[in-house]
Amino acid sequence: MTDDQFFIKNELRITCADAVELVTEYLEETLSPADLDDFQTHLSLCEGCQVFLDQVNATITLMSRSRQVDVPLLPGNMDALLAVLDERAAQKPDEASSS
Amino acid sequence: MFRTLVEDLNPGLTRLARTYVTAAIADEVVQETWMSVLRSIDTFEGRSSLKTWIYRIMLNKVRSVAGREGKIVPFTSVGPHAAGDNASVDIERLVHPDLGRGYWPDAPPRWDSMPAESLEAQETADRVDRAISSLPAAQREVVTLRDIEGWSSEEVCNALGISTVNQRVLLHRGRVAVRQALEDYLS
């Protein structure tokens, strides 16, 4: 290894291969203070890992939009469920008042 | 009160069930889940939240139905980046001309410099859905509950009966697999 390579690797603290594995822990705020320091230092010097982190964030945003997909608010057997509920209430009048 | 509970939970239960089986079968599984909830509510011990207890009932049902129908996605059919390959980025990509293995040779293309339409296109959303459905079941459950339904990690651990560390690993694996699918599609 040349002095330059050694110097750059030293500045980066960790490899990109290690940094990309820490992304979720970083986002979850579960990194130890030492790992957080290494990760943030690496990130500030490494465009590849910055882009990777941005892409993971963009992926999370896109996934959260899947929520809008149409699904039924109520199950198709809602009437039958309410009938069972009524039946139970009739059997246990004392509990029905508290539920 | 029961109706409010159903309205709160039915959409999310349905979305998760539909990642296992067809929409029609999933809707039936969720209907059966509610029936089981009413019939066994006396056994609910309050050790978990009512929400995670109901999800556990649904997951037991849908996993067994999916197993019967042979609908569980086998681990090997998950695409080029999942089976047996645990790295978040293909290690063959991380080879820098000077720094060597483990470093980006150059940054991957930025998505925020792409026209907004490509990220917001319906086709991109379909790609995301497909990538989530083809995740191994354990990753799919965690990703769906955390990133689609917006649950906390604690709630997910309770509903799925997994450790915090396991939850985080599954979440990471799932997210990076979906990111990779998006990158493959967008590039």
Side-chain angles (χ1 to χ4, degrees):
Chain A
M1 202 189 309
T2 66
D3 287 352
D4 275 359
Q5 287 164 352
F6 179 81
F7 178 74
I8 295 170
K9 285 185 180 179
N10 200 35
E11 288 279 287
L12 284 169
R13 304 266 189 104
I14 51 177
T15 64
C16 302
D18 287 337
V20 294
E21 300 304 335
L22 297 179
V23 163
T24 297
E25 282 196 74
Y26 171 70
L27 295 173
E28 298 276 278
E29 300 180 6
T30 52
L31 285 172
S32 69
D35 285 346
L36 179 64
D37 191 41
D38 284 346
F39 182 82
Q40 284 178 322
T41 304
H42 179 95
L43 204 67
S44 68
L45 299 169
C46 176
E47 196 195 346
C49 287
Q50 286 164 24
V51 173
F52 184 85
L53 176 63
D54 287 348
Q55 290 180 344
V56 171
N57 274 318
T59 302
I60 295 168
T61 305
L62 285 170
M63 289 197 288
S64 70
R65 291 195 196 142
S66 285
R67 228 196 134 145
Q68 293 154 6
V69 171
D70 276 347
V71 288
L73 184 62
L74 293 173
N77 61 343
M78 193 62 189
D79 288 346
L81 294 171
L82 291 173
V84 170
L85 203 63
D86 286 347
E87 219 174 279
R88 286 180 61 106
Q91 280 165 5
K92 303 179 183 177
D94 50 326
E95 280 182 30
S97 59
S98 64
S99 66
Chain B
M1 183 203 160
F2 177 70
R3 194 186 170 93
T4 316
L5 181 71
V6 173
E7 284 177 359
D8 279 350
L9 300 188
N10 200 66
L13 284 166
T14 307
R15 276 190 291 268
L16 185 57
R18 286 183 181 184
T19 70
Y20 279 88
V21 288
T22 62
I25 297 176
D27 293 359
E28 268 174 46
V29 166
V30 175
Q31 291 180 22
E32 284 171 28
T33 300
W34 286 115
M35 201 49 95
S36 299
V37 167
L38 284 182
R39 298 228 157 97
S40 55
I41 191 70
D42 295 335
T43 66
F44 174 62
E45 290 171 334
R47 267 184 291 197
S48 57
S49 76
L50 187 58
K51 176 167 97 170
T52 57
W53 182 71
I54 294 170
Y55 265 80
R56 279 210 294 268
I57 294 174
M58 188 283 284
L59 282 166
N60 282 336
K61 286 184 193 294
V62 81
R63 283 166 178 163
S64 87
V65 171
R68 250 195 333 265
E69 306 251 321
K71 291 275 170 52
I72 287 181
V73 182
F75 195 68
T76 47
S77 75
V78 175
H81 299 284
D85 174 10
N86 269 341
S88 299
V89 175
D90 184 353
I91 52 163
E92 295 309 319
R93 256 183 95 183
L94 295 179
V95 184
H96 188 280
D98 299 324
L99 301 177
R101 288 201 165 267
Y103 296 89
W104 295 101
D106 39 36
R110 288 189 170 275
W111 292 350
D112 47 18
S113 61
M114 301 179 43
E117 306 89 68
S118 27
L119 269 187
E120 279 156 28
Q122 185 55 45
E123 222 183 315
T124 310
D126 293 344
R127 220 24 104 97
V128 170
D129 286 344
R130 238 181 300 156
I132 295 172
S133 334
S134 56
L135 292 173
Q139 291 177 22
R140 197 176 66 227
E141 289 165 359
V142 173
V143 163
T144 302
L145 293 176
R146 286 295 310 277
D147 289 339
I148 299 181
E149 302 299 332
W151 288 25
S152 70
S153 62
E154 197 190 349
E155 287 177 312
V156 173
C157 290
N158 283 336
L160 301 178
I162 56 177
S163 71
T164 319
V165 171
N166 197 9
Q167 190 265 163
R168 209 162 51 226
V169 170
L170 292 167
L171 180 63
H172 183 71
R173 294 274 154 262
R175 282 174 174 176
V176 298
V178 176
R179 186 211 70 88
Q180 186 61 58
L182 269 172
E183 185 183 311
D184 293 346
Y185 169 67
L186 292 170
S187 62

